[in-house]
């Protein structure tokens, strides 16, 4: 602490240069934070996937349906604990394609039993079971449109027209929250029986099944048994762990992780050069002062430490500000909930960011610090004279 | 301020003993012999002026006595401490404790106030903040700059900066003051004030001073003058 004034004074010696370097580091870490938020948004489904859950879909494609009778048949397969089904509805609110969000007809009891990550008050659960046109919506979605329990919501579906060609109408009976920050609360779920009765075609079909297995260690074995059960039928299935299913969705737009890693590597390499150059210049221009420090008794190791602390302080001031700004940006919620329903900066990324700040500080300062450490007192003083 | 403990004079009162010292530098393939078998003894409490033409080895000799450089051959002992056998770390600690350095161009850190510059050597001690401040106040008072303690070097005159440099050199109460052309960058009046101050430190506080100078007017203030030419002592003259 007693050397802090000296370190601070050196940092403030060239205010413009320090400010610009600090700004560069800040922007790099802001970018890091934002990319981590996006990565988390894309991979939320993967990280939230239950290890004991399988997704069973049509073998050819997810857009092809499966019979409703498969649920009962799967229930009889050894190792299967429970099943529920989802169907892609593609609802659009107020006839505006921008008002798009995930809408799914589901069977309420088996759905809530399967997805315990969705927290619904008991009274609202009862209301859903009693109300045929009832729908539950996630907190993020309700906030987005200002919906509340009791509202009647008309939706259009380009996939599933209603008999008579009118809009689908739903009564909001509940608003669910997530048990974790990363739980997607932008969904709209309504009753399958109402949907199946009212749709113009496709009765008796569902989109895909979610299956809970009794023993997660035997998930692969159960998935194989399910596929075998429906082999050589008109509706052959592909069963896979929920995580793999979510990952395949993410990978439809490329390997997000690889893209982010490539961008961040380029950014950090550049910023390392910028910060390293600043430190090298800072040390070079005060050769004589370093000589004086050594002349009055500062050891080589202490001089090395002072330069490294200076470099780390520079990286910390810029990097932590960048991370803080990225974190603050998430407090207002997702700017595009339809694309990023999950929008937050996880603690693990913050910790990685702090590690990168420290690494940047040490790496940027290492060569100048070693040069300062090796500087011979008499040479440094002579150079000045 | 007084000298005590390690780094003090030997039984015969000799504080600095330079014995058969060579110092050779290399510039490419060329060898430059700056000091050549030099011997010198400086008694405790002496104010020695070291004179000589440019390139004669004055500053090199001062650096060797201050432990800022190492001899190619021979030995330098200060109060019985043989400097050439010390590790870099030990030598740094020894410098902090026993040597005060005054430079021609003051070499103050521009980012620190006068008081903070003076405090620098004390940062290496175990003194508390209050103790350090007290020592700094005394040192600044000795050099007559108490009223400029919070000023930064750029706002001080050359003479004032050199006084701060001297305060920094004496703040840890060292055995030995080494001054490299302390008046070389000052006008006559400011130079005289610095020389008055050095004389007072020598006479009133008992500091042993070795001063490199080109200026006969400055060397006249010393108790003894030594001339150095081509790496060897050519003449010694009492002041």
């Amino acid at each position: 602490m007693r050397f802090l004034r000296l370190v601070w004074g050196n940092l403030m010696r060239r205010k413009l240069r320090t400010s610009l370097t600090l700004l560069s580091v800040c922007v790099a870490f802001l970018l890091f934070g934002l990319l981590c938020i996006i990565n988390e948004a894309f991979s939320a489904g993967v990280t939230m996937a239950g290890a004991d859950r399988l997704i069973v879909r049509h073998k050819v494609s997810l857009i092809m349906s499966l019979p409703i009778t498969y649920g009962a048949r799967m229930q009889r397969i050894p190792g299967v604990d429970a099943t529920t089904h989802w169907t892609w509805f593609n609802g659009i609110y107020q006839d505006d394609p921008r008002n798009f969000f995930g809408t799914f007809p589901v069977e309420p009891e088996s759905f809530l039993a399967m997805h315990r990550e969705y927290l619904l008050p008991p009274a609202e659960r009862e209301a859903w079971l009693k109300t045929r046109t009832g729908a539950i919506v996630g907190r993020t979605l309700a906030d987005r449109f200002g919906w509340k329990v009791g509202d009647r919501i008309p939706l259009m579906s380009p996939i599933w027209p209603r008999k008579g060609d009118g809009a689908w109408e739903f009564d909001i009976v509940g608003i669910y929250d997530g048990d974790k920050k990363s739980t997607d609360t932008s969904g709209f779920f309504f009753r399958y029986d109402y949907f199946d009765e009212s749709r113009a075609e496709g009765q008796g079909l569902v989109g895909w099944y979610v299956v809970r297995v009794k023993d997660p260690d035997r998930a692969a074995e159960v998935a194989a048994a399910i596929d075998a059960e429906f082999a050589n039928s008109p509706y052959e299935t592909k069963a896979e762990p929920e995580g793999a299913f979510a990952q395949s969705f993410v990978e439809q737009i490329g390997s997000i992780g690889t893209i982010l890693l490539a961008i961040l590597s380029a950014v950090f390499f550049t910023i390392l050069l910028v910060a390293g150059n600043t430190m090298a210049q800072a040390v070079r221009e005060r050769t004589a002062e370093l000589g004086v420090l050594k002349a009055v008794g500062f050891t080589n190791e202490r001089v090395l430490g002072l330069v490294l602390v200076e470099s780390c302080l520079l990286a910390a001031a810029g990097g932590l500000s960048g991370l803080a700004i990225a974190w603050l940006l998430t407090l207002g919620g997702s700017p595009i909930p339809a694309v990023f329903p999950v929008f937050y900066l996880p603690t693990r990324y913050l910790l990685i960011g702090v590690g990168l700040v420290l690494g940047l500080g040490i790496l940027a300062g290492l060569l100048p610090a070693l040069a300062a450490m090796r500087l011979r007192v008499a040479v440094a003083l002579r150079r000045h004279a | 301020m007084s000298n005590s403990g390690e780094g003090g004079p030997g039984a015969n009162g000799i504080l600095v003993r330079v014995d058969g010292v060579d110092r050779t530098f290399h510039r490419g393939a060329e060898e430059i012999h700056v000091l050549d078998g030099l011997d010198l003894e400086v008694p405790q409490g002496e104010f020695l002026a070291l004179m000589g033409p440019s390139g004669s080895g004055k500053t090199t000799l001062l650096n060797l006595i201050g432990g800022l450089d190492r001899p190619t051959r021979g030995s330098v002992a200060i109060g019985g401490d043989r400097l050439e056998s010390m590790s870099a770390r030990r030598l740094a600690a020894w410098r902090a404790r026993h040597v005060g350095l005054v430079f021609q161009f003051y070499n103050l850190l521009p980012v620190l106030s006068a008081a903070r510059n003076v405090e620098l050597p004390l940062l290496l001690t175990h003194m508390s903040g209050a103790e350090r401040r007290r020592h700094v106040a005394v040192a600044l008072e000795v050099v007559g700059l108490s009223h400029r303690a919070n000023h930064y070097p750029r706002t001080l005159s050359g003479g004032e900066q050199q006084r701060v440099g001297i305060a920094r050199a004496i703040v840890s109460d060292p055995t030995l003051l080494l001054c490299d052309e302390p008046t070389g960058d000052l006008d006559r009046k400011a130079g005289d004030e610095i020389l008055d101050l050095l004389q007072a430190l020598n006479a009133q506080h008992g500091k042993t001073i070795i001063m490199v100078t080109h200026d006969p007017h400055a060397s006249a203030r010393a108790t003894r003058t030594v001339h150095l030419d081509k790496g060897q002592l050519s003449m010694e003259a009492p002041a």
Side-chain angles (χ1 to χ4, degrees):
Chain A
M1 284 302 285
R2 57 175 59 190
F3 299 104
L4 204 57
R5 189 174 292 269
L6 176 60
V7 173
W8 183 251
N10 283 327
L11 272 175
M12 290 295 106
R13 176 189 301 251
R14 300 249 187 260
K15 289 191 179 67
L16 181 64
R17 184 177 66 196
T18 301
S19 304
L20 290 176
T21 307
L22 209 132
L23 194 63
S24 313
V25 177
C26 176
V27 169
F29 277 88
L30 172 61
L31 184 65
F32 167 80
L34 291 177
L35 290 178
C36 288
I37 292 167
I38 292 171
N39 187 44
E40 183 66 12
F42 275 116
S43 60
V46 180
T47 51
M48 284 306 294
D52 60 350
R53 291 203 295 239
L54 300 175
I55 299 293
V56 182
R57 62 174 175 87
H58 196 288
K59 188 177 182 181
V60 175
S61 165
L62 183 65
I63 62 168
M64 298 184 74
S65 303
L66 295 172
I68 185 81
T69 53
Y70 273 22
R73 286 177 64 184
M74 279 189 278
Q75 197 74 56
R76 290 196 293 271
I77 293 172
V80 170
D81 184 36
T83 68
T84 191
H85 58 78
W86 292 43
T87 303
W88 182 249
F89 180 72
N90 202 28
I92 294 168
Y93 181 50
Q94 292 174 332
D95 221 8
D96 183 347
R98 283 174 301 179
N99 290 340
F100 159 83
F101 41 87
T103 39
F104 308 93
V106 295
E107 197 287 307
E109 277 185 292
S110 63
F111 171 81
L112 290 174
M114 180 69 70
H115 296 283
R116 291 168 191 150
E117 65 269 28
Y118 298 143
L119 306 176
L120 189 66
E124 295 179 2
R125 173 195 163 93
E126 287 307 310
W128 196 20
L129 295 177
K130 285 180 189 159
T131 312
R132 228 172 138 62
T133 54
I136 61 166
V137 299
R139 180 75 57 193
T140 305
L141 185 63
D143 291 346
R144 180 180 167 195
F145 292 110
W147 292 341
K148 55 190 184 306
V149 171
D151 285 355
R152 172 156 278 223
I153 306 300
L155 295 180
M156 297 297 289
S157 169
I159 305 175
W160 302 110
R162 197 178 176 197
K163 284 177 190 166
D165 255 3
W168 292 82
E169 293 205 334
F170 304 99
D171 296 300
I172 295 182
V173 294
I175 294 173
Y176 69 87
D177 291 292
D179 67 340
K180 291 195 178 77
K181 224 174 180 179
S182 54
T183 304
D184 180 2
T185 56
S186 67
F188 186 107
F189 299 98
F190 56 95
R191 287 174 52 156
Y192 177 81
D193 52 357
Y194 167 57
F195 163 72
D196 199 40
E197 241 177 48
S198 309
R199 61 177 156 175
E201 57 186 34
Q203 275 76 14
L205 294 175
V206 301
W208 63 92
Y209 286 91
V210 182
V211 174
R212 184 164 57 231
V213 296
K214 288 175 182 162
D215 180 1
D217 292 339
R218 294 184 56 212
E221 191 185 317
V222 175
I226 291 171
D227 289 344
E229 170 74 17
F230 304 112
N232 301 316
S233 75
Y235 299 97
E236 289 192 302
T237 60
K238 179 181 177 186
E240 59 188 337
E242 192 178 30
F245 176 77
Q247 186 69 45
S248 67
F249 257 114
V250 173
E251 286 177 356
Q252 283 176 6
I253 51 172
S255 174
I256 301 294
T258 308
I259 294 167
L260 296 189
L261 190 65
I263 295 172
L264 287 176
S265 300
V267 168
F268 279 110
F269 181 68
T270 309
I271 218 65
L272 181 63
L273 296 183
V274 171
N277 185 48
T278 298
M279 286 311 300
Q281 275 185 31
V283 167
R284 206 162 39 235
E285 72 193 11
R286 54 175 201 262
T287 300
E289 290 172 34
L290 292 169
V292 171
L293 288 181
K294 291 189 176 190
V296 301
F298 281 61
T299 59
N300 291 332
E301 294 77 11
R302 197 180 293 277
V303 168
L304 173 105
L306 284 175
V307 176
L308 280 180
V309 168
E310 188 178 327
S311 173
C312 287
L313 260 183
L314 183 68
L320 297 182
S321 318
L323 289 173
I325 294 170
W327 177 73
L328 285 172
L329 286 176
T330 63
L331 296 184
S334 173
I336 33 177
V339 183
F340 302 130
V342 173
F343 194 78
Y344 77 108
L345 185 55
T347 309
R348 69 178 187 284
Y349 285 128
L350 279 174
L351 292 176
I352 291 172
V354 171
L356 283 172
V357 165
L358 195 64
L360 175 71
I362 291 173
L363 279 178
L366 192 60
L367 285 180
L370 284 172
M373 186 183 88
R374 290 174 186 147
L375 195 63
R376 288 171 53 207
V377 194
V379 174
L381 294 174
R382 192 165 56 228
R383 218 179 277 172
H384 178 61
Chain B
M1 295 193 176
S2 61
N3 296 320
S4 60
E6 290 178 88
N12 53 2
I14 299 298
L15 179 67
V16 178
R17 188 186 301 277
V18 177
D19 192 10
V21 158
D22 287 358
R23 183 65 177 104
T24 305
F25 293 102
H26 295 269
R27 189 185 293 153
E30 187 187 3
E31 273 197 348
I32 303 163
H33 299 279
V34 178
L35 299 178
D36 189 9
L38 190 139
D39 298 315
L40 176 69
E41 287 183 347
V42 181
Q44 163 84 17
E46 186 170 55
F47 184 174
L48 177 75
L50 198 54
M51 292 192 77
S54 294
S56 59
K58 305 184 295 293
T59 298
T60 300
L61 178 58
L62 204 69
N63 286 342
L64 292 173
I65 294 170
L68 305 179
D69 195 8
R70 290 175 190 273
T72 309
R73 197 173 65 84
S75 86
V76 178
I78 312 293
D81 294 327
R82 302 263 312 241
L83 304 192
E84 67 277 3
S85 59
M86 289 186 191
S87 67
R89 179 191 284 260
R90 210 174 137 220
L91 198 55
W94 177 86
R95 274 199 304 271
R97 212 161 152 200
H98 298 297
V99 181
L101 292 153
V102 180
F103 305 97
Q104 179 179 358
F105 298 109
Y106 332 126
N107 281 350
L108 301 181
L109 272 57
V111 297
L112 299 179
S113 67
R116 295 285 178 188
N117 264 286
V118 175
E119 189 189 18
L120 270 178
L122 302 183
L123 295 178
L124 303 168
T125 67
H126 295 295
M127 284 183 194
S128 67
E131 281 178 292
R132 293 200 302 272
R133 279 191 293 278
R134 204 162 45 243
H135 278 74
V136 168
V138 170
L140 283 172
E141 197 180 320
V142 168
V143 300
L145 270 188
S146 298
H147 60 296
R148 305 286 264 167
N150 294 320
H151 288 67
Y152 282 80
R154 64 179 178 279
T155 65
L156 300 175
S157 69
E160 286 174 325
Q161 288 189 57
Q162 192 57 294
R163 282 166 183 270
V164 175
I166 292 170
R168 179 177 65 190
I170 61 173
V171 72
S172 54
D173 194 16
T175 320
L176 183 62
L177 273 187
L178 301 176
C179 310
D180 192 359
E181 303 269 12
T183 59
D185 198 44
L186 301 174
D187 59 32
R188 176 51 60 92
K189 182 172 175 297
D192 279 343
E193 286 171 2
I194 294 300
L195 292 169
D196 289 344
L197 183 57
L198 291 177
Q199 268 191 313
L201 286 170
N202 174 245
Q204 293 164 25
H205 297 279
K207 297 293 172 198
T208 305
I209 300 176
I210 300 177
M211 175 177 70
V212 163
T213 181
H214 275 104
D215 182 5
H217 177 76
S219 68
R221 303 291 197 101
T223 51
R224 181 165 65 118
T225 299
V226 172
H227 288 263
L228 197 62
D229 193 17
K230 293 178 184 164
Q232 291 189 318
L233 288 177
S234 61
M235 178 178 74
E236 291 195 31

